[in-house]
Amino acid sequence: MENILEELKWRGAINQVTDEAGLTKLLADKSVGLYCGTDPTGDSLHIGHLIPFMMLKRFQMAGHRAHILIGGGTGSIGDPSGRSSERVLQSMETVHHNEDALTAQMKHLFGADNITIVNNYSWLSKIDLLSFLRDYGKLFNINTMLNKEVVASRLEGGISFTEFTYQILQSVDFHHLWQEHDVQLQIGGADQWGNITAGIDLIHKMEGQDAQAYGLTIPLMVKADGTKFGKTAGGAVWLDPKKTTPYEFYQFWLNQDDRDVVKYLKYFTFLSREEIAELAQKVADQPEKREAQRKLAQEVTAFVHGQAAVEQAERISAALFSGDVKTLTADDIEQGFKNMPAVECSSQPTNIVDWLVGTGIEKSKRQAREDVTNGAIRINGDRIREVEHVIDPAAMFAGRFVIARRGKKKYFLAHVK
């Protein structure tokens, strides 16, 4: 089997590696324990967080022993990485709620094989202040810590002692996992390099220079237009289906730029080199078909939300494109029309002209009658031409919604009160 580091290089997924030759040999000789961590700063990961965990998943699939660290301890003080100011501390109740939510997400993504989920609160919370200073603080040189990029970038604006000590705590994590779980590799985003190398230094100081400990970071993901990956006009793209619906998630990937799609296929899917090369050729030869984007959307949505979510997203997309919304369920409607103009209507059967004016879709009865007789109005997918037509909100979509369309593309979602 190809060395996994070579596979990651081909995918453009390696930014920096400590002792690449040593790590290559280690990975070839045995099943290696490795970990990636995330702090419970929220109750869901977004797709920016997903990048290093996709790499962890590749190691898991290659037979290595993957560990996910939920930072209940470190998350209670805040990582200064990537921030220009102090993080507002969360209550421990919020931290524990977020821990539970992220643990459930990770179990869904990684399954049960070759995976261990740990929470650093279970060991960091047991270290008293004097033990922390004597056992760990003595081994960290302030000058070295100040030179770490994550700290150096904060010195001008100021950094609290709390956030300054974050790299010590993350180092303690690496040593604990090295000692208790035979974990020898830590992976993370490019901004974690200083924290990861601090952990390796701690292991060498406590266990000897021959102790095998390695680090690997993932490049910062930037789109072809120079903007940050993972952000949309509406904000972050979340893995939690309540925050970003599977349909919105699918659409995010479907709408990627031709210049980025092959890179994302390498990063975010488990397709082979041959499959990706074939899709890359289709981008070059027939970009208007957007086959690569469709495959990307299918693969990532299936990984995060399951195949049923892919089928639902494609069903919604097809119905919106054709206008045949009658095939959709109430749940489909809730997802597919989430960002379309919303109005409210009574649950009582109502004349179409009165209904259009009452919901505000039409400004006047004269305009409503004109649009109806001209065939410009569709209700639940059916074109209505009779001004005497009565709309029965209970007729479709479990009595929850009425879909109105004015003209070719102007949709309105009426919520039945």
Side-chain angles (χ1 to χ4, degrees):
M1 184 181 75
E2 180 182 41
N3 182 282
I4 190 168
L5 294 185
E6 292 303 315
E7 167 77 6
L8 295 180
K9 283 181 185 177
W10 172 77
R11 291 184 181 272
I14 294 181
N15 183 52
Q16 290 176 286
V17 187
T18 63
D19 186 9
E20 183 177 341
L23 180 57
T24 299
K25 183 176 186 303
L26 182 71
L27 291 167
D29 289 345
K30 65 173 186 176
S31 171
V32 172
L34 72 155
Y35 90 97
C36 182
T38 185
D39 283 342
T41 53
D43 59 4
S44 174
L45 299 179
H46 56 66
I47 57 173
H49 295 127
L50 190 60
I51 299 170
F53 285 102
M54 291 296 290
M55 303 310 133
L56 187 70
K57 181 74 175 180
R58 295 186 197 283
F59 278 96
Q60 179 197 29
M61 293 171 67
H64 298 288
R65 296 176 288 105
H67 294 69
I68 294 170
L69 184 147
I70 305 294
T74 44
S76 68
I77 70 165
D79 183 358
S81 299
R83 298 182 65 83
S84 58
S85 60
E86 288 287 315
R87 188 184 297 276
V88 176
L89 296 182
Q90 301 180 111
S91 70
M92 288 309 298
E93 181 182 7
T94 299
V95 171
H96 292 322
H97 166 75
N98 294 343
E99 290 169 15
D100 292 341
L102 295 188
T103 299
Q105 277 190 346
M106 291 302 183
K107 287 180 177 177
H108 172 71
L109 291 176
F110 283 84
D113 295 334
N114 293 335
I115 189 74
T116 302
I117 300 178
V118 296
N119 187 329
N120 64 13
Y121 185 83
S122 67
W123 59 85
L124 292 180
S125 62
K126 295 174 182 174
I127 303 174
D128 64 75
L129 177 60
L130 292 179
S131 297
F132 173 76
L133 294 173
R134 288 179 61 87
D135 298 343
Y136 301 109
K138 195 72 176 171
L139 300 177
F140 284 81
N141 183 288
I142 288 292
N143 293 341
T144 303
M145 293 177 72
L146 289 173
N147 286 327
K148 299 283 186 182
E149 173 60 29
V150 64
V151 173
S153 64
R154 288 281 299 278
L155 290 180
E156 187 174 336
I159 183 172
S160 69
F161 179 72
T162 297
E163 290 196 7
F164 181 64
T165 61
Y166 186 94
Q167 63 179 280
I168 300 180
L169 296 186
Q170 188 166 327
S171 300
V172 173
D173 289 343
F174 198 174
H175 178 255
H176 176 88
L177 293 175
W178 185 94
Q179 195 171 51
E180 301 296 329
H181 294 265
D182 192 27
V183 167
Q184 295 158 313
L185 171 64
Q186 182 182 171
I187 66 175
D191 62 344
Q192 293 299 309
W193 180 252
N195 291 333
I196 292 173
T197 54
I200 294 171
D201 290 343
L202 178 64
I203 291 170
H204 286 159
K205 286 176 181 176
M206 297 186 76
E207 308 295 339
Q209 288 298 318
D210 293 335
Q212 290 189 304
Y214 304 88
L216 182 155
T217 59
I218 316 302
L220 177 68
M221 181 73 78
V222 179
K223 296 194 291 187
D225 62 9
T227 60
K228 188 175 181 180
F229 167 78
K231 297 286 186 181
T232 67
V237 180
W238 300 96
L239 305 193
D240 184 342
K242 294 186 181 69
K243 294 176 181 288
T244 300
T245 68
Y247 170 75
E248 292 174 306
F249 191 84
Y250 179 93
Q251 288 293 319
F252 170 81
W253 298 103
L254 187 65
N255 291 324
Q256 291 306 315
D257 193 303
D258 289 341
R259 296 171 295 172
D260 291 319
V261 66
V262 175
K263 175 171 71 175
Y264 296 164
L265 283 166
K266 289 180 177 180
Y267 254 80
F268 293 103
T269 78
F270 301 99
L271 299 175
S272 67
R273 293 192 187 206
E274 293 74 23
E275 289 171 305
I276 292 176
E278 185 178 336
L279 289 165
Q281 193 61 50
K282 288 179 178 177
V283 174
D285 296 341
Q286 298 174 306
E288 70 283 357
K289 290 190 174 182
R290 300 185 69 76
E291 288 189 44
Q293 282 89 343
R294 185 169 295 105
K295 188 64 174 175
L296 175 67
Q298 290 170 342
E299 292 291 314
V300 187
T301 305
F303 175 63
V304 174
H305 295 298
Q307 185 58 33
V310 175
E311 294 166 5
Q312 181 183 42
E314 294 187 331
R315 185 171 65 250
I316 295 170
S317 299
L320 291 176
F321 181 77
S322 68
D324 184 16
V325 297
K326 287 185 288 187
T327 60
L328 300 178
T329 67
D331 183 53
D332 295 341
I333 297 298
E334 198 162 33
Q335 288 197 40
F337 287 76
K338 181 179 176 183
N339 295 317
M340 293 184 183
V343 297
E344 289 188 343
C345 71
S346 164
S347 60
Q348 298 303 310
T350 308
N351 170 268
I352 188 169
V353 173
D354 294 334
W355 189 89
L356 289 168
V357 175
T359 57
I361 294 172
E362 295 282 17
K363 298 302 181 186
S364 68
K365 288 189 176 184
R366 183 193 61 78
Q367 186 63 55
R369 282 192 291 268
E370 184 177 317
D371 283 347
V372 171
T373 54
N374 288 339
I377 300 295
R378 289 179 182 267
I379 300 296
N380 294 339
D382 291 329
R383 190 189 303 275
I384 308 298
R385 293 180 180 273
E386 300 79 29
V387 293
E388 296 81 16
H389 180 82
V390 173
I391 294 177
D392 182 3
M396 291 186 67
F397 310 128
R400 294 169 56 195
F401 306 111
V402 176
I403 298 174
R405 187 173 123 195
R406 190 180 68 210
K408 290 185 176 180
K409 293 184 178 179
K410 190 67 174 177
Y411 279 98
F412 298 86
L413 178 63
H415 296 258
V416 180
K417 293 186 290 184

